[in-house]
Amino acid sequence: MSLIVQKYGGTSVGSTDRIKYVAKRVMHWRGLGHQVVVVVSAMSGETNRLLGLAKELSAAPDPRELDVVAATGEQVTIGLLSIALMEMGVPARSYSGGQVRVLTDSAFTKARILDIDDAAMRRDLDAGNVVVVAGFQGVDAVGNVTTLGRGGSDTSAVALAAALGADECQIYTDVDGVYTTDPRIVPQARRLDTITFEEMLELASQGSKVLQIRAVEFAGKYRVKLRVLSSFEDPQSPGPGTLITYEEDDTMEQAIISGIAFNRDEARILVMGVEDRPGVAFAILGPIAAANIDVDMIVQNIGASGQTDLSFTVHRNEYRKAMDVLERERGRAFQCREIKGDDKIAKVSVVGIGMRSHTGLAARMFKALADEAINIQMISTSEIKIAVVIDEKYLELAVRELHKAFDLEKAPA
Ligand code: ADP
Ligand code: ASP
Ligand code: MG
């Protein structure tokens, strides 16, 4: 007998019919003799709806109260799934994050899991129950409801799997695995049988929403066996999905490039004509960090006559706040000629561990973009990634062309 954690995302629990279908799959796994812990998201669209209600009342809702509202979505689905399971004769018990005691820090709307108490869940499992846990939520040390950031149910599932020492964590979603890129943008995208942990981490951090980045981080830290699968396939004959592997030798596919990620979540800020002297990057980015704004890409160019331009990207939600901070600090912490911003940008990233051993990949990427007359605004690289910022209106074209340029529709020989 093994212990399996299964996570079902919003579309997979998007209606009572879908919830019944989830219950059937859970029943199937339990019938095979496994203990099953199920983590569910809110019904699709529900978290957006809830956050939208708060926004109707305030342009900047209090984060603690926002979490109180957002966490209700998952509370509905744990109850409904438990009812559906019981109706099929499967004993089930629902748990909110607080009831499990998924302990988090108090960073409302982006809390981090600190500890999970597995005692109550284990008792229930040992008594033969399916345990149904609300994803995306936890509770801080003083009992405040917290949420883990958008897409956070993936992280709940992996963290529970780690805490319980589960044999496998299965992420069920509306695609049958991790693809070379989002199949909604490139229909020719190909499902990968396996992907290395490092590549998955990079894809997730660059915007592939199929797994939340913290889920991948958690999986790596605790070596959780993690698989992405479809909740739409027949429970009796499921596909293989995509397995995240931890050893490079495990990779059956030796592709140089594994996938392309993209996001529209960032905005670019350009501080022009800054005095070129030591400490200037700190003078500009220090107040941004002090305001708790995360910075992603940073580019600094030395211009003529002792001046420099610094550009960087922040999350689009924090764009206005970052611009306000800079306007406030301008003339105090630093002097500059002009501050400009653009929130109509997109970032496209090509990822693959083969970059370590192959050259010329950046040139291939830049040629594919040049051939389509797509201007590159910023570039950043890591050992296994090349990312570019472009005008948002070219995003889909860029992803399609890069997919072609790297032959990603073909399985590696
Ligand atoms: P869930 O609600 O189940 O958590 P998400 O919408 O968060 O589902 O994630 C699944 C979606 O991720 C897919 O529908 C797909 O459009 C998108 N996606 C983005 N990149 C990829 C990729 N490389 N492989 C598979 N799906 C991807
Ligand atoms: N319901 C939350 C969201 O929409 C968490 C999740 O789906 O993983 O972001
Ligand atoms: Mg998701």
Side-chain angles (χ1 to χ4, degrees):
M1 182 173 67
S2 53
L3 171 56
I4 311 286
V5 174
Q6 301 188 332
K7 178 258 169 175
Y8 294 90
T11 329
S12 307
V13 293
S15 65
T16 47
D17 280 344
R18 300 279 342 142
I19 289 174
K20 267 191 230 166
Y21 203 60
V22 167
K24 272 191 199 153
R25 186 179 306 278
V26 173
M27 188 166 88
H28 172 74
W29 280 84
R30 192 170 168 274
L32 296 173
H34 303 296
Q35 292 184 321
V36 188
V37 173
V38 189
V39 176
V40 283
S41 295
M43 296 168 93
S44 56
E46 184 60 9
T47 308
N48 284 343
R49 189 185 74 84
L50 292 166
L51 296 174
L53 290 175
K55 281 266 154 109
E56 281 177 26
L57 297 170
S58 162
D62 179 78
R64 178 183 184 276
E65 304 313 327
L66 208 50
D67 276 359
V68 168
V69 175
T72 61
E74 274 70 11
Q75 191 162 331
V76 171
T77 43
I78 52 171
L80 291 178
L81 179 58
S82 301
I83 291 169
L85 282 164
M86 287 183 214
E87 198 60 22
M88 291 177 187
V90 179
R93 259 167 80 89
S94 69
Y95 283 82
S96 68
Q99 286 172 323
V100 171
R101 203 147 188 265
V102 175
L103 181 71
T104 70
D105 62 18
S106 304
F108 298 113
T109 76
K110 48 182 177 189
R112 280 182 180 272
I113 296 176
L114 302 174
D115 187 44
I116 291 180
D117 184 350
D118 62 348
M121 289 186 295
R122 279 199 199 278
R123 272 198 302 277
D124 264 333
L125 289 169
D126 290 343
N129 290 299
V130 168
V131 168
V132 182
V133 181
F136 179 55
Q137 55 176 262
V139 69
D140 74 2
V142 292
N144 291 308
V145 174
T146 56
T147 68
L148 310 179
R150 300 307 304 268
S153 299
D154 296 334
T155 304
S156 306
V158 178
L160 284 167
L164 290 161
D167 296 275
E168 186 162 308
C169 180
Q170 303 173 339
I171 306 287
Y172 286 95
T173 182
D174 54 5
V175 281
D176 61 351
V178 178
Y179 277 67
T180 46
T181 193
D182 189 340
R184 286 179 211 233
I185 303 289
V186 183
Q188 296 80 10
R190 191 170 48 83
R191 184 184 58 78
L192 303 165
D193 286 328
T194 62
I195 184 162
T196 67
F197 157 73
E198 285 168 289
E199 288 168 321
M200 194 62 241
L201 191 64
E202 199 68 88
L203 286 175
S205 78
Q206 298 304 310
S208 259
K209 299 219 161 68
V210 64
L211 284 177
Q212 201 203 30
I213 177 164
R214 284 194 193 157
V216 186
E217 283 169 358
F218 238 104
K221 187 164 174 197
Y222 297 100
R223 288 286 194 264
V224 173
K225 187 171 176 198
L226 183 60
R227 200 184 284 278
V228 177
L229 300 138
S230 167
S231 71
F232 287 72
E233 290 173 338
D234 182 354
Q236 310 283 339
S237 55
T242 301
L243 180 69
I244 315 308
T245 60
Y246 297 101
E247 307 298 332
E248 271 177 40
D249 295 346
D250 282 358
T251 48
M252 285 142 75
E253 295 163 283
Q254 292 294 340
I256 300 167
I257 300 298
S258 291
I260 300 171
F262 54 85
N263 78 54
R264 297 180 177 89
D265 300 339
E266 291 183 28
R268 186 168 71 108
I269 295 175
L270 183 56
V271 186
M272 294 164 78
V274 190
E275 189 193 353
D276 188 21
R277 60 167 171 84
V280 76
F282 175 66
I284 295 170
L285 295 173
I288 295 285
N292 241 326
I293 300 171
D294 284 334
V295 171
D296 179 24
M297 284 187 184
I298 305 173
V299 173
Q300 189 184 352
N301 290 317
I302 299 171
S305 65
Q307 291 200 330
T308 180
D309 298 337
L310 185 88
S311 53
F312 59 96
T313 63
V314 296
H315 196 283
R316 239 180 239 191
N317 292 343
E318 298 187 311
Y319 171 56
R320 284 271 35 115
K321 189 172 157 194
M323 290 296 265
D324 290 347
V325 168
L326 292 178
E327 287 300 346
R328 192 190 66 212
E329 295 297 324
R330 179 182 191 174
R332 289 163 44 168
F334 64 91
Q335 313 287 335
C336 70
R337 194 177 64 246
E338 195 179 358
I339 302 177
K340 289 204 296 195
D342 183 0
D343 64 353
K344 301 277 180 299
I345 59 159
K347 188 168 73 167
V348 183
S349 312
V350 167
V351 171
I353 51 170
M355 277 184 202
R356 289 188 184 135
S357 48
H358 290 74
T359 54
L361 298 168
R364 198 150 139 197
M365 179 175 188
F366 302 153
K367 177 172 189 309
L369 296 173
D371 286 349
E372 297 300 321
I374 298 172
N375 189 41
I376 299 173
Q377 301 176 1
M378 294 171 95
I379 302 170
S380 90
T381 61
S382 78
E383 209 189 359
I384 65 164
K385 168 205 80 191
I386 308 161
V388 296
V389 167
I390 58 172
D391 188 325
E392 182 180 9
K393 68 175 183 253
Y394 297 121
L395 174 61
E396 300 196 357
L397 176 65
V399 174
R400 278 198 304 272
E401 291 306 316
L402 290 170
H403 201 269
K404 263 191 249 161
F406 288 103
D407 291 326
L408 291 181
E409 68 284 358
K410 295 186 203 122

